[in-house]
């Protein structure tokens, strides 16, 4: 019973909730910044990715970093 009470106090603690909220906000913010970067740069970066062969996409170090271009190939 004491364990359940301690667990409830820990979960409902404002500091714990603040840390959890901060981590969630940070993850959401980083994801939105990544999406914004991709939206700004797909027109410049993705034509090279589209022109490359499947072999190059898999094994070329530079092209493997821009695999996010798959989402934007229909716009190029």
């Amino acid at each position: 019973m004491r364990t359940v009470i301690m667990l409830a106090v820990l979960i409902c603690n404002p500091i714990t909730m603040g840390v959890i909220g901060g981590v969630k906000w940070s993850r959401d913010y980083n994801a939105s910044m990544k999406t914004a970067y991709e939206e700004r740069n797909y027109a410049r970066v993705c034509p090279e990715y589209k022109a490359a062969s499947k072999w190059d996409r898999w094994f070329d170090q530079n092209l493997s970093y821009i695999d996010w271009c798959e989402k934007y190939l229909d716009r190029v």
Side-chain angles (χ1 to χ4, degrees), residues 29-69:
Y29 178 75
N30 288 339
S32 70
M33 293 301 289
K34 179 181 177 229
T35 303
Y37 170 81
E38 292 171 357
E39 288 288 331
R40 279 193 315 267
N41 295 309
Y42 80 89
R44 183 176 48 88
V45 175
C46 293
E48 179 184 359
Y49 185 81
K50 185 176 183 179
S53 68
K54 185 68 92 172
W55 179 267
D56 288 335
R57 289 180 189 174
W58 285 349
F59 294 108
D60 186 333
Q61 185 177 7
N62 295 329
L63 292 175
S64 65
Y65 287 131
I66 58 172
D67 60 347
W68 54 265
C69 281

